[in-house]
Amino acid sequence: MAREAWFKRTVTGSAGGAIAPSAAAAMAAGAVVALFGLAVMLAWHAGYPGLLPWQADLVPVHYNTALALFLVGGGLMLLLVGVARGAAVAGVAVLALGALTLSQYLFSVDIGIDQRIVGAPSMPATSHPGRMAPNTALGLMLTGLALALPALLGRGRVLLSILGSAGVIVFGLGLVALAGDAMRLESVYGWGALTRMAVQTAAALVVIGTALLLTAWYEGSRRDVPLLGWLPVPAGLGVFTILVLAWQASFDIGGGAAAPQGWSVHALLLLGALLAFVLAVALNRAHVAQVRWKAAESDRGALRAEIAERRGTEQRLRASESLVQMAANLARIGGWEVDLEDERAWWSDEVCRIHEMPPGTSIRVDEGIAFYAPEWRERIREVFTRAARDGIPYDEEMQIITASGKRRWVRAIGQPVHNPEGTIVRVQGAFQDITDRRKIEEALRRAAMVFEHTRDGVVVTDADVRILSVNRAFTEITGYTEDEVRGRNPSVLASGHHDSAFYRKLWEQLRELGHWQGEIRDRRKNGETYAEWLTIDSVRDDAGNVTHYVGVFTDISGIKESQERLEFLAHHDALTGLPNRVLLESRLAKALERAQRRGHRVALLYIDLDRFKAINDGLGHPVGDELLRQVPDRLHPRLRREDTLGRAGGDEFMLLLEHMDRADEAARVARDVLALLQAPFTLPSGHEVFIGASIGISLFPDDGASSSELVRNADSAMYRAKELGRNTFHFYTEELTRAAGRRLAMETRLRRAIEHREFVLYFQPQVSVADGRTIGVEALVRWNDKEKGLVGPDEFIPVAEESGLIAPLGLWVLKEACRQLQVWRHRGLALPQVAVNFSSQQFLLQDVTARVSEALELSGLPPEFLELEITESLLMRQGDSAPAMLRSLKDLGVRLVIDDFGIGYSSLAYLREFPIDRLKIDQSFVRDIETDHSAREIASTVVAMGHNLSLEVLAEGVENVRQLEILKMLECDAYQGFFASAPLPAEDLPGWLAAWPSPSGRSNT
């Protein structure tokens, strides 16, 4: 069915579906030739010679000629129905038959092609099928070529000329043969003496030539190629062919007796070619003239209509372009186009203006991409490539950098453009400067962000003062949501704190100046009132009419509370809430003024908490803060209304007592304060602590005329109370001031002494109680003052600790002791160890472990030769960090000694926990060991305790043989003191060791 439909489309003309006459005739001719060839082949096989010759005395149609005719007829029909490949197969077969046959004539050989191709049966009056005539072979070869070429060349104008040329030549070959038969010229059937063409074959060639011409005509009409468009070449070749054949026939008619001269042959051929050329040119010129006339005739009316239409179109186009250009200029939109073949971009004037480039700029694509900001180049390259390669349009907002270096936001739109074949050939689009729009959008975003996220409340109303919108801070401050207040008057927030006159004045100023600012008190949704700082501005249009009111307010209730809090903190202690030193001195100054006017006394008590530092360091600062907060609670019930208790700082308090008539009144208050502070404190953290106090008292006008003098003198008296053993009070005297001056002078001299290395070490031997063997020495520092000579440690060590100078001084003692012992060891002096005292301030001011390691490394002294003496109070101040601190020292390899054991906590718990090597009994117990039973019992207990814990015990301060005997009886391990030797300079120690008897009676050297 599909083939029938195709055939109908092929042979049917465009008018009414009628069959094209040329196609029908060509199809019929092909069928006739095919049937004729088939009939001849059947006659050969059937042995019926009637169909073979036209007349009995003429040449028969050969078998191979019949086969070729059958193939030609079938090929023509296949070509007409569109089966070009099938026609080509038939054409190639026919071409091969003709070419092989013709080659036998040209080369005078007999390759037996007629017998080999088809083994035809024998026939009467013939010995074999025979060889076809050469002109028959030529005609069939041209026909085969015409059938084979459409499959290779397609159906263009060249094919039409080939079909026409082949048709004319074949038609001429057959026509000349038929003319020879009509005139009884047998020589015309063939070429000279060669095999002659059968008359039936000649007729078949005429039919074939006619069919080829009709096929060419039909194909030309289908493709709107006029007859004269392809006929000139075939017509010229036809004329030339007929002339050549006619010349050959005339030569044969003359019997070949008078062969034409060579020049006559050439002249004849030249004449024939000239006539063919003239005919072809004439026909071609006629065709051209015809085409031009028709084109001109058809185009005249169309041209006039087109001109009119074009004029109208141009006018509309100009008007449209003007409108588009105006719109583009207003919208700042330009156009661009990229030719993908040469990769160049064309920019409109607006695009050039945006880039700050000259009008008419045309650049390469990469140069255009380079105008984009670095962060956008990959994106524009990606979307442009997708548009050019995949046909995906894009619409992007990006930033470019103009020729002058300015950044601009642009909107780039790209659209692929396809050619008729569907290939993308261009990308074009629009380009718009959106910098102003982005700025506006950014400003609106910022405004919206500020409106929504500002911590100030914002409310917008219309001209009739109806709320339009509020921000989130409004809701957070007032408690009202936007839905709850939209459309209502802001008076919904009124607290009733302000009268109508206040609001009347507010609106008068707002209408007159367009602005009002001030503090106002409003009410929250929950009924709570609050203070706010409110700013109201009126918004007007171009005509000056109010369109909106905008109120911005800040909740300043917290600020007011903060101000009050800051005011309080500026004059009060943050921890205890008591007046601070500033407020105390201010009140003291006013109290002195009142006392001077009224003639009464003022007392100032300077209170310092005893043992507070141990609690703060041992239990932690939070526990210390709890204790400081409970002190005012403990003391306030004892005070009068006019008395002022304040905190001077740290663990120091000041108590101002007005209207004092006698000094003993202040003493009575001081005794009461001491008693109150001696009671145990139970803290919120669960700790129970005990403290005491040292109180200094100064009186007005006895001890000073100004507040600063009274404070200074009370402070001096407080230090004197500490020197007297703490937990007491002391009145100020002039001697205290002189003592404070002496301490300050000593601190200055002490600093200079450290810088000038005015210190020396003395060494006191430590002796075994059992056998009198020297087990070590203790390094004791002395100050070799240039003014006063040798100064003992009792005078300068307290000042060094108070001033912080103990850290550099203690480090020097440690390094010098290690160095000196190493020197003695190198000299062969047998000293097992050197003991060095450590102050509590050294642990607070420096990394002791690092300093000890440094001293050992510098001196080269093995760590087991160094013994560090640490007091009980120091360990308690270290608190939970003490075990780790001692272990870090012990890890160095040094020995650890608890100095002055028995005068502090003497806790078995820490003795068991700490890595201690020796206990040292304080000299206060040794001094009274002969006469005081309690002192002896304490010494005995310490020795027993130490031995139970596998610790050595050493007693210090042994001054006579009786003390030594008691210690020996108590099984004390070692002792030191003046009984053995006073502290010795380093240069005297070797002599003492040489003179001191060992158990064997020999010296220690």
Side-chain angles (χ1 to χ4, degrees), residues 814 836-840 842-843 848 852 868-871 874:
L814 175 64
V836 178
N837 286 281
F838 263 81
S839 167
S840 61
Q842 289 180 258
F843 283 86
V848 173
V852 171
L868 302 180
E869 295 189 0
I870 305 170
T871 62
L874 169 61

Side-chain angles (χ1 to χ4, degrees), residues 672-914:
D672 293 343
V673 168
L674 291 174
L676 290 171
L677 295 178
Q678 283 179 340
F681 285 82
T682 302
L683 304 179
S685 59
H687 294 88
E688 184 179 52
V689 296
F690 296 84
I691 62 171
S694 298
I695 302 176
I697 305 174
S698 62
L699 300 174
F700 173 83
D702 308 73
D703 301 326
S706 64
S707 58
S708 59
E709 289 179 331
L710 289 179
V711 171
R712 184 186 68 240
N713 295 337
D715 184 46
S716 298
M718 181 269 294
Y719 276 104
R720 181 56 181 165
K722 284 186 174 292
E723 292 174 358
L724 294 175
R726 304 172 184 259
N727 199 31
T728 186
F729 63 90
H730 193 275
F731 282 93
Y732 171 76
T733 64
E734 187 63 31
E735 177 58 28
L736 293 180
T737 303
R738 289 192 294 269
R742 287 194 297 270
R743 282 199 306 271
L744 183 59
M746 177 171 285
E747 179 181 339
T748 303
R749 288 166 44 225
L750 195 57
R751 290 181 184 276
R752 185 172 63 248
I754 293 175
E755 294 176 2
H756 296 166
R757 298 181 179 273
E758 297 178 358
F759 294 94
V760 294
L761 284 187
Y762 276 55
F763 298 90
Q764 187 172 39
Q766 296 175 332
V767 181
S768 171
V769 172
D771 56 15
R773 177 174 48 88
T774 303
I775 63 171
V777 293
E778 179 180 3
L780 301 171
V781 66
R782 299 293 185 265
W783 179 10
N784 191 8
D785 191 4
K786 295 180 180 180
E787 299 178 3
K788 295 186 176 182
L790 205 61
V791 180
D794 292 339
E795 293 188 42
F796 64 84
I797 290 298
V799 177
E801 290 183 336
E802 289 179 11
S803 61
L805 296 175
I806 192 65
L809 178 58
L811 182 58
W812 178 86
V813 171
L814 175 64
K815 291 181 177 180
E816 181 63 18
C818 292
R819 184 198 67 80
Q820 185 62 61
L821 182 56
Q822 186 68 350
V823 169
W824 285 330
R825 291 182 68 247
H826 286 165
R827 293 177 181 175
L829 199 63
L831 274 177
Q833 62 199 19
V834 62
V836 178
N837 286 281
F838 263 81
S839 167
S840 61
Q841 293 297 317
Q842 289 180 258
F843 283 86
L844 298 175
L845 299 175
Q846 58 187 352
D847 184 351
V848 173
T849 304
R851 300 290 79 80
V852 171
S853 177
E854 177 186 351
L856 292 171
E857 183 177 355
L858 288 175
S859 64
L861 182 69
E864 62 270 18
F865 286 85
L866 178 62
E867 192 172 75
L868 302 180
E869 295 189 0
I870 305 170
T871 62
E872 286 182 275
S873 59
L874 169 61
L875 295 178
M876 295 310 299
R877 291 192 188 98
Q878 294 298 316
D880 295 337
S881 64
M885 180 266 293
L886 291 179
R887 278 192 295 270
S888 66
L889 290 173
K890 193 65 179 175
D891 290 341
L892 294 178
V894 301
R895 290 169 53 84
L896 299 178
V897 177
I898 300 296
D899 193 14
D900 299 336
F901 188 79
I903 63 172
Y905 292 92
S906 302
S907 172
L908 287 174
Y910 81 73
L911 287 178
R912 183 187 56 185
E913 183 179 359
F914 296 159

Side-chain angles (χ1 to χ4, degrees), residues 506-519:
L506 182 154
W507 281 104
E508 288 176 356
Q509 181 177 338
L510 187 59
R511 282 191 291 268
E512 181 179 352
L513 303 177
H515 175 81
W516 183 88
Q517 188 177 57
E519 183 178 336

Side-chain angles (χ1 to χ4, degrees), residues 446-460:
R446 286 196 300 266
M449 186 179 299
V450 170
F451 180 81
E452 189 61 27
H453 294 88
T454 181
R455 303 305 302 168
D456 294 337
V458 180
V459 56
V460 180

Side-chain angles (χ1 to χ4, degrees), residues 324 326-336 347-355 372 380 394-400 402 407-414 428-438 441:
V324 171
M326 182 183 300
N329 291 338
L330 292 175
R332 292 188 175 183
I333 299 177
W336 58 272
W347 288 349
S348 69
D349 290 348
E350 177 62 19
V351 178
C352 293
R353 185 197 66 78
I354 295 172
H355 287 82
Y372 285 82
I380 187 61
Y394 63 87
D395 188 343
E396 300 282 337
E397 292 186 2
M398 307 177 182
Q399 271 191 316
I400 64 168
T402 66
R407 279 185 174 254
R408 287 184 177 173
W409 279 98
V410 297
R411 180 185 181 189
I413 302 173
Q428 62 185 18
F431 204 79
Q432 183 181 16
D433 185 351
I434 59 171
T435 303
D436 293 341
R437 194 202 77 193
R438 292 288 295 226
E441 290 176 352

Side-chain angles (χ1 to χ4, degrees), residues 531-759:
E532 69 180 48
W533 186 261
L534 174 63
T535 300
I536 306 176
D537 288 283
S538 58
V539 181
R540 300 179 184 271
D541 58 17
D542 294 338
N545 299 318
V546 174
T547 60
H548 299 85
Y549 292 102
V550 178
V552 180
F553 62 93
T554 303
D555 184 354
I556 61 173
S557 56
I559 296 176
K560 284 185 166 295
E561 292 175 0
S562 298
Q563 288 176 342
E564 294 172 357
R565 178 64 178 167
L566 289 174
E567 180 69 22
F568 177 84
L569 292 177
H571 297 92
H572 291 79
D573 175 52
L575 181 63
T576 62
L578 295 174
N580 59 14
R581 194 181 192 97
V582 175
L583 182 57
L584 271 171
E585 292 184 355
S586 175
R587 291 186 179 181
L588 178 58
K590 294 179 180 179
L592 296 182
E593 292 176 2
R594 290 192 295 269
Q596 191 172 12
R597 287 196 306 267
R598 299 172 184 174
H600 57 74
R601 284 182 169 182
V602 172
L604 181 65
L605 278 63
Y606 205 106
I607 306 170
D608 182 85
L609 303 182
D610 293 336
R611 299 186 63 252
F612 174 79
K613 184 171 182 58
I615 295 172
N616 203 38
D617 294 341
L619 300 179
H621 291 280
V623 176
D625 291 344
E626 292 177 358
L627 174 60
L628 292 175
R629 280 192 289 266
Q630 286 197 5
V631 168
D633 298 336
R634 183 74 62 87
L635 298 182
H636 270 132
R638 169 62 183 81
L639 304 181
R640 301 170 300 175
R641 181 180 299 177
E642 62 268 25
D643 297 336
T644 300
L645 177 64
R647 186 183 176 197
D651 60 349
E652 297 176 344
F653 296 82
M654 287 193 292
L655 178 57
L656 173 61
L657 304 174
E658 295 191 57
H659 308 103
M660 291 286 105
D661 295 328
R662 298 183 309 275
D664 59 345
E665 295 180 10
R668 187 167 50 253
V669 173
R671 278 192 296 268
D672 293 343
V673 168
L674 291 174
L676 290 171
L677 295 178
Q678 283 179 340
F681 285 82
T682 302
L683 304 179
S685 59
H687 294 88
E688 184 179 52
V689 296
F690 296 84
I691 62 171
S694 298
I695 302 176
I697 305 174
S698 62
L699 300 174
F700 173 83
D702 308 73
D703 301 326
S706 64
S707 58
S708 59
E709 289 179 331
L710 289 179
V711 171
R712 184 186 68 240
N713 295 337
D715 184 46
S716 298
M718 181 269 294
Y719 276 104
R720 181 56 181 165
K722 284 186 174 292
E723 292 174 358
L724 294 175
R726 304 172 184 259
N727 199 31
T728 186
F729 63 90
H730 193 275
F731 282 93
Y732 171 76
T733 64
E734 187 63 31
E735 177 58 28
L736 293 180
T737 303
R738 289 192 294 269
R742 287 194 297 270
R743 282 199 306 271
L744 183 59
M746 177 171 285
E747 179 181 339
T748 303
R749 288 166 44 225
L750 195 57
R751 290 181 184 276
R752 185 172 63 248
I754 293 175
E755 294 176 2
H756 296 166
R757 298 181 179 273
E758 297 178 358
F759 294 94

Side-chain angles (χ1 to χ4, degrees), residues 254-412:
Q261 299 296 323
W263 65 269
S264 62
V265 173
H266 295 133
L268 183 60
L269 292 175
L270 181 61
L271 178 62
L274 182 62
L275 288 175
F277 177 74
V278 170
L279 178 61
V281 171
L283 290 175
N284 184 63
R285 295 299 298 274
H287 165 66
V288 172
Q290 182 184 26
V291 171
R292 290 179 178 176
W293 183 83
K294 287 183 178 180
E297 185 66 24
S298 63
D299 289 346
R300 285 190 185 93
L303 182 59
R304 287 190 293 269
E306 183 180 354
I307 291 173
E309 178 65 22
R310 180 174 296 178
R311 287 176 178 173
T313 301
E314 289 178 351
Q315 291 176 355
R316 291 191 297 271
L317 183 59
R318 282 194 295 270
S320 177
E321 287 180 349
S322 177
L323 292 175
V324 171
Q325 186 63 37
M326 182 183 300
N329 291 338
L330 292 175
R332 292 188 175 183
I333 299 177
W336 58 272
E337 183 178 78
V338 173
D339 189 337
L340 298 181
E341 183 175 354
D342 58 7
E343 294 187 350
R344 293 197 68 84
W346 171 85
W347 288 349
S348 69
D349 290 348
E350 177 62 19
V351 178
C352 293
R353 185 197 66 78
I354 295 172
H355 287 82
E356 297 183 346
M357 295 290 287
T361 294
S362 177
I363 61 175
R364 296 188 61 79
V365 173
D366 289 341
E367 295 172 345
I369 291 176
F371 273 96
Y372 285 82
E375 62 270 23
W376 292 105
R377 287 174 190 163
E378 285 302 320
R379 178 59 180 169
I380 187 61
R381 183 176 285 106
E382 176 187 352
V383 296
F384 179 82
T385 301
R386 286 194 301 180
R389 183 185 61 200
D390 305 326
I392 302 175
Y394 63 87
D395 188 343
E396 300 282 337
E397 292 186 2
M398 307 177 182
Q399 271 191 316
I400 64 168
I401 301 177
T402 66
S404 66
K406 299 177 182 176
R407 279 185 174 254
R408 287 184 177 173
W409 279 98
V410 297
R411 180 185 181 189

